[in-house]
Amino acid sequence: MSRNKTTLSELRVGLLAVATLVILIVFILSVTGDISLFRDTKTLRTRFNAAEGLKEGDEVRLAGKRIGKVESVAFGEIPRSPSDKPIVVQMSVDGKDVGDRIRSDSRAVLAQQGFLGDRVIDITPGTVNGEPVPDGAEIDSADNAGLAQVFQGANDILVVFNTVGKQVQELIDNLNRGEGTLGRLLRDDAIYVNLNRTVLESQQLLKRIQEGNGTVARFLNDPTLYNDLRGATTQLQQIAADLRAGKGTAGKLLTDDQVYEQTRQTIARANSAIEKLDRLTGDIEAGRGTIGKLIKDEKLHDDLQATVASVRTISQSLERGEGTAGRFLKDDRLYNSANEVSSELVKLLYDFRQNPKKYLSVRVSIF
C-alpha cells in the first residue's frame, strides 16, 4: 500500500513537470512567433512569377517591420496567359499588430536580406483609398529584381573589375619595362642621377643661404636690409598719415574741399575751352570765318598764290637790278652818289655849328 502511494506521487510530479515544460515551450514559441496560440493571426496570400529561393518560415514584413512568416510556397493552377503568376505564397501575419494597415492597394514585394541573405516578403502599407483586406484575402504583388538579375549585375561589375585589372596589369608591365614618363622615372638611372644632383645642389644652395653668402642670403640674414625696409615702411605710413591729415600739396589735394572745387572749376573751364575749340574746328571745316575761308575758299587760295607769284617776280626783278628799286639795290654809282651827298651834308652841318651867323643873317630895313 505504501509502495502504491509513492508511485502515484511520482506520477503526479512527473505529470506536473511535463505540463510545466509544455507550457514553457508553448510560451517560448509564442514569443518567438513560431506558433500563435495567444495571438490574433490572419492568413493572406499573394502570387509571384518565381519563388527566387523563398521557402517556408521566411519572414513577412510590413514596411520593413516583421509581422509574420511564410506558411507555404506552392504552385498554383497552370497559367492561362503569360501575365498570370504561377507561384502561390501563403502568409500568416499578426492581425493585432497589422490592424487595418494592409489594404487593397498594398503590394507584396519579394526582397532579400543583404546581397546573399534569406528571402523575405515586404508588404507596402495601404492608403485610405484602399479597403482593409479580410482574413484569407489575396493581395497583389510587385516584382522586384530577382536573383538572376542581381547576379547578372554582379557579373557586369566583375567584368568591369576584370577590365580595370587588365589595364592596371598592363600599366605595371609598362612601368617594369621602363616605358612612359613614370616608367623612365622608375627605371632610368640618368633621371635618378640628375635628381640626386639636383638635391645636392639644393642642399649646397641652402647651406650658402644659411652661411649668408649671395644676394638671397643677405636678403634673409642681413638685419640692415630689414631695418631699411622697416624704415621705408615707417616713412610710407607717415606719408599716408600726412595725406589723411591734409598736410602737404598732395594731402590738401585729397582733403581740402576748396582745392577740389578749384580743380573741378579748372576742369570745367578746360572742358568749355575744348568745346569752343571743337566749335572753332567745326567752323573752319565748314569754311566759316577768315581762317575757314583761308583754308576752304579756293578763290582766296588762288589770289594768295597769285600774290606770292607777284612777290616772287618783284624779288627776281630786284635781284636782277631792274627798275628804280633794283638799280638802287644793284647800281654802285647810285650808292656812291648817295654816299657823297651824305658826306656833304655832314660837312654842312659841321660848318653850320661852327659859324651859324654865316647862314643865319637877318636884315631889318625900314623904308
Side-chain angles (χ1 to χ4, degrees), residues 39 57-61 65-70 92-94:
R39 292 188 302 173
D58 287 339
E59 292 184 4
V60 177
R61 299 177 178 178
K65 180 182 178 181
R66 180 178 178 179
I67 58 173
K69 64 180 181 178
V70 175
S92 175
V93 298
D94 187 354

Side-chain angles (χ1 to χ4, degrees), residues 88-334:
V88 179
V89 179
Q90 183 169 326
M91 302 170 288
S92 175
V93 298
D94 187 354
K96 182 179 180 181
D97 193 13
V98 171
D100 294 336
R101 297 183 183 277
I102 300 178
R103 295 173 173 263
S104 58
D105 55 355
S106 297
R107 296 292 181 270
V109 180
L110 183 59
Q112 67 182 32
Q113 303 181 33
F115 183 68
L116 296 176
D118 295 334
R119 307 295 285 180
V120 296
I121 295 179
D122 197 354
I123 301 174
T124 61
T127 64
V128 294
N129 296 324
E131 297 293 335
V133 296
D135 185 18
E138 181 175 324
I139 60 176
D140 294 333
S141 64
D143 293 333
N144 200 359
L147 288 176
Q149 296 178 351
V150 172
F151 284 117
Q152 180 63 35
N155 187 32
D156 295 339
I157 295 175
L158 291 176
V159 171
V160 173
F161 275 111
N162 189 22
T163 304
V164 173
K166 289 181 179 179
Q167 294 176 354
V168 172
Q169 185 63 39
E170 292 178 358
L171 178 60
I172 294 174
D173 294 338
N174 293 333
L175 292 177
N176 292 329
R177 291 192 298 268
E179 298 178 357
T181 304
L182 187 57
R184 292 181 180 178
L185 182 63
L186 295 176
R187 308 289 296 182
D188 194 353
D189 294 335
I191 296 178
Y192 168 75
V193 172
N194 293 331
L195 184 61
N196 189 23
R197 183 180 303 169
T198 302
V199 173
L200 292 176
E201 291 178 354
S202 299
Q203 291 177 352
Q204 293 177 359
L205 178 61
L206 291 175
K207 183 178 179 181
R208 292 178 58 188
I209 291 175
Q210 292 175 356
E211 293 175 352
N213 296 326
T215 304
V216 178
R218 291 180 180 178
F219 181 79
L220 294 176
N221 299 322
D222 191 359
T224 304
L225 181 60
Y226 167 76
N227 294 330
D228 294 340
L229 184 60
R230 183 176 180 182
T233 304
T234 303
Q235 291 178 358
L236 289 176
Q237 291 177 352
Q238 184 62 38
I239 291 173
D242 292 341
L243 290 176
R244 287 194 296 268
K247 298 180 180 180
T249 304
K252 292 181 179 179
L253 183 62
L254 292 175
T255 59
D256 193 352
D257 295 337
Q258 184 177 1
V259 175
Y260 165 76
E261 186 64 25
Q262 292 177 355
T263 304
R264 190 184 64 80
Q265 292 177 359
T266 302
I267 294 174
R269 286 194 291 268
N271 291 332
S272 178
I274 292 173
E275 292 178 357
K276 292 180 180 179
L277 183 60
D278 290 339
R279 290 196 297 270
L280 178 61
T281 305
D283 293 338
I284 292 174
E285 288 292 333
R288 294 190 293 269
T290 304
I291 299 177
K293 291 181 179 179
L294 182 63
I295 294 176
K296 295 295 184 177
D297 193 353
E298 296 293 337
K299 182 178 179 182
L300 183 60
H301 174 266
D302 295 338
D303 294 341
L304 182 59
Q305 187 175 7
T307 302
V308 172
S310 299
V311 172
R312 184 182 299 111
T313 302
I314 293 172
S315 299
Q316 292 175 355
S317 299
L318 292 175
E319 187 66 25
R320 290 193 300 268
E322 298 177 355
T324 304
R327 290 180 181 179
F328 182 78
L329 293 175
K330 294 294 185 178
D331 194 353
D332 294 336
R333 292 176 299 176
L334 182 59

